[in-house]
Amino acid sequence: MKEKALVYCEGHFGDTDGKTANGLIRRSQKYQIACVIDSTKAGLDAGKILGGSENGIPIYRDLTDALDKLGETPEYFIYGIAPKDTFLSLNERRIFLKAMSLGMNIVNGLHEFISDDAEFKREAKRYNVKLYDIRKPLSNRYLHLFTGDIMQVKTPKLAIFGTDCAVGKRTTAMLLMQALKERGIRTSFIGTGQTALIQGEKYGIAMDAIPSEFMAGELENAVLEADIHEKPDIILLEGQSSLSHQAFVSSCAIIRGGQPDAFILQHPPKRKRRIDFNDLEMPTVDSEINLIEGFSQSKVIAITLNHEGMIVDDIKETIKNYEHAYHLPTTDTLTYGCNKLVKSVLKTFPELKEKIAT
């Protein structure tokens, strides 16, 4: 049975900094999400905020309001914000301490490790609760260096990359995985960020928390483990940030460690500046495709859109223009589903056609 949890996302549910909360509402293998806390959207339905149909997950004003309305205390308090500033504010520290005093275990995806904090450790012991730092890596002696064994993996590997942070790479991967599984194609997913790990995905690591010399090896090991134990027909790799991003190197390690055979590129057409970096312009679709293909020696086989700031007519027109300009199938998976992507996957890896359930 899934364990009950509430997700704290004050001021950010539904936006880019709320991507951990957004992801948990869309999919959670491990937790039953009881509610979201965000005073700016209190009284609304979480599914509706994310552009879908109502899902019965309410949004409450604060912790007191949530527990009063729920009539029970969930076992877990999940911090659902993924901000550029990776440290808790004083107010957030107080909220964590209050949740602990109520007997809630804390799930934290920040780079600030609360399990190393003297005050949090003392209060956790006092109230007999646990502190989970999702991004906290194992000590170096338990991490994996790159071995090259990934070259022996014959299972097709498809990476979902993007032109920036928080463009929906993981969401597209989840929807594509579901679409492939519905057709009888055994699909494994390798998560590379804290949201996927909190969602309870079986294989993956928080790439941006791993020392650089172990990044490729840890990703390689996750792929090998999935391939050995799940025997999938295809493996999906979650991208991080973008290969062209000046601030991050995770995408490079994903290519090195995962050796993708093909890519899907996700792009937000209306975004002009990189998230959290207003001085950095967004790359163009063709420049990112050229960089990915030149660096990896594998092809981009489809383009997916993040429709932030777009209306339906914008999406339709952009799809038409991109398919004409780039000669690649293009879609918005949240609006139109994954049929185009599945067709592109089957065209790229024709051996998968025999796996389709009849």
Side-chain angles (χ1 to χ4, degrees), residues 189-193 196-197 201 203-207 219 222 236-238 240:
F189 171 73
I190 309 298
T192 57
L197 299 183
E201 300 304 331
Y203 300 96
I205 52 173
M207 288 288 289
L219 195 281
L236 304 185
L237 307 177
E238 178 191 13
Q240 287 295 313

Side-chain angles (χ1 to χ4, degrees), residues 66-332:
L67 299 188
D68 180 59
K69 298 276 179 48
L70 291 174
E72 62 177 336
T73 302
E75 298 172 72
Y76 292 86
F77 175 102
I78 301 174
Y79 187 76
I81 308 173
K84 179 184 177 184
D85 182 0
T86 60
F87 296 97
L88 294 169
S89 67
L90 288 177
N91 184 57
E92 287 172 333
R93 286 185 66 90
R94 295 188 191 101
I95 294 170
F96 274 39
L97 291 168
K98 181 178 180 180
M100 292 163 63
S101 74
L102 295 167
M104 302 178 74
N105 304 296
I106 308 297
V107 180
N108 167 48
L110 294 174
H111 286 291
E112 177 183 7
F113 301 144
I114 59 175
S115 59
D116 292 338
D117 184 287
E119 182 180 23
F120 284 135
K121 287 197 294 184
R122 183 180 66 247
E123 295 303 292
K125 183 176 181 180
R126 176 183 177 186
Y127 294 110
N128 194 31
V129 298
K130 294 181 179 180
L131 307 176
Y132 296 94
D133 285 312
I134 301 303
R135 268 192 169 114
K136 189 174 184 179
L138 298 172
S139 62
N140 287 359
R141 67 181 297 177
Y142 298 113
L143 297 178
H144 297 84
L145 290 168
F146 183 78
T147 65
D149 289 345
I150 190 70
M151 309 297 185
Q152 306 306 316
V153 175
K154 304 304 181 185
T155 307
K157 301 176 298 298
L158 173 64
I160 292 78
F161 270 35
T163 53
D164 195 14
C165 305
V167 294
K169 298 179 284 287
R170 187 193 64 259
T171 298
T172 288
M174 294 291 97
L175 292 171
L176 178 56
M177 178 169 64
Q178 180 180 343
L180 291 170
K181 285 184 174 181
E182 287 173 353
R183 290 163 172 81
I185 297 173
R186 298 193 307 275
T187 308
S188 288
F189 171 73
I190 309 298
T192 57
Q194 78 277 9
T195 302
L197 299 183
I198 296 174
Q199 285 176 313
E201 300 304 331
K202 192 172 181 180
Y203 300 96
I205 52 173
M207 288 288 289
D208 61 3
I210 302 294
S212 59
E213 64 266 37
F214 296 104
M215 276 183 160
E218 280 292 289
L219 195 281
E220 177 191 46
N221 182 69
V223 175
L224 292 171
E225 289 288 309
D227 193 53
I228 291 169
H229 297 297
E230 305 299 321
K231 295 180 172 51
D233 299 317
I234 187 171
I235 298 171
L236 304 185
L237 307 177
E238 178 191 13
Q240 287 295 313
S241 178
S242 71
L243 186 57
S244 65
H245 204 300
Q246 297 90 329
F248 307 107
V249 298
S250 296
S251 291
C252 173
I254 292 168
I255 291 174
R256 292 301 193 216
Q259 298 288 308
D261 300 296
F263 293 81
I264 290 171
L265 181 66
Q266 179 117 347
H267 178 66
K270 294 293 185 179
R271 192 181 295 183
K272 304 303 180 185
R273 302 283 175 175
R274 291 195 187 273
I275 285 290
D276 295 327
F277 294 89
N278 290 331
D279 293 333
L280 301 181
E281 292 185 358
M282 285 287 294
T284 61
V285 170
D286 54 344
S287 70
E288 196 73 30
I289 289 175
N290 290 336
L291 183 61
I292 290 171
E293 293 186 343
F295 188 84
S296 70
Q297 301 301 302
S298 294
K299 291 292 185 180
V300 173
I301 64 169
I303 299 170
T304 49
L305 305 182
N306 176 314
H307 60 230
E308 63 182 41
M310 302 174 74
I311 60 175
V312 173
D313 288 345
D314 293 331
I315 299 170
K316 290 180 179 179
E317 186 67 19
T318 301
I319 288 173
K320 179 181 176 182
N321 291 340
Y322 279 20
E323 290 189 332
H324 176 75
Y326 304 115
H327 307 289
L328 289 171
T330 302
T331 191
D332 175 348

